[in-house]
Amino acid sequence: MKKTAHDPAPVPAAAGNSTDFAPSLAPGAPRAPGAIAAVPTAPTALVLRGNLFAEKCPSRQVLTHVTSRWGVLILVALLDGTHRFSELRRRIGGVSERMLSQTLQWLEADGFVTRRAYPVVPPRVEYSLTPLGREISEQVRQLTDWIEENLGRIGTGQPAGRAE
């Protein structure tokens, strides 16, 4: 049986790394059973695919950052364009400076948000989405739109089957 990007195979890991997830070749590219992925060269690109169900897969950490309460709200807010820290804090009611700063740092480290600091007094810092951040933000917005549109149908905190 031929292995493809849809049939991930364990890849030997360096010391201390997990083998719970494996890199996959671009869709449709053949791979010999047990083959180790090579370093990508242009025009052939290696695409890593995570496995959210694997305990040590780094995709879980990215999922945590994106789907955290503040991560979702930041990503959706930045779809409107570049915002300063104080603008984001005002727009996202209830977020502390510490949580906003920490979540922005996570999203920046994941490659979803860019931070631009201007050398002025008082300091001015602006945040915007990267192209990758725009992609994930559009997906998150679909989820938030669905929640807002269906709020009346979503449970009211009452146990199911209990009539009032």
Side-chain angles (χ1 to χ4, degrees):
M1 184 163 107
K2 202 184 254 188
K3 294 259 182 206
T4 67
H6 301 291
D7 300 321
V11 174
N17 290 343
S18 169
T19 59
D20 290 342
F21 62 97
S24 303
L25 294 173
R31 176 172 53 183
I36 299 174
V39 176
T41 59
T44 312
L46 178 68
V47 177
L48 292 178
R49 180 171 176 91
N51 178 358
L52 288 173
F53 295 103
E55 180 181 358
K56 296 181 181 177
C57 183
S59 61
R60 282 194 181 187
Q61 189 171 16
V62 174
L63 181 68
T64 299
H65 298 163
V66 169
T67 61
S68 70
R69 176 188 343 182
W70 308 121
V72 166
L73 296 173
I74 289 168
L75 290 170
V76 173
L78 288 175
L79 275 170
D80 294 340
T82 301
H83 291 284
R84 293 177 68 175
F85 185 89
S86 57
E87 292 171 336
L88 282 171
R89 184 146 186 247
R90 279 191 300 276
R91 177 132 190 235
I92 303 171
V95 66
S96 68
E97 279 189 32
R98 180 179 174 271
M99 284 309 304
L100 180 58
S101 177
Q102 184 178 54
T103 307
L104 284 164
Q105 287 172 9
W106 289 338
L107 295 172
E108 183 181 10
D110 291 336
F112 300 132
V113 171
T114 57
R115 176 184 187 273
R116 185 167 182 191
Y118 295 90
V120 295
V121 177
R124 184 173 134 212
V125 179
E126 294 180 340
Y127 297 89
S128 57
L129 293 172
T130 64
L132 189 63
R134 183 156 291 285
E135 285 181 46
I136 191 69
S137 296
E138 291 291 347
Q139 300 298 315
V140 170
R141 182 176 18 197
Q142 287 181 24
L143 173 63
T144 59
D145 287 349
W146 185 91
I147 291 170
E148 289 177 333
E149 291 166 7
N150 291 281
L151 195 56
R153 296 181 6 189
I154 298 172
T156 60
Q158 298 290 328
R162 192 173 178 187
E164 296 266 329

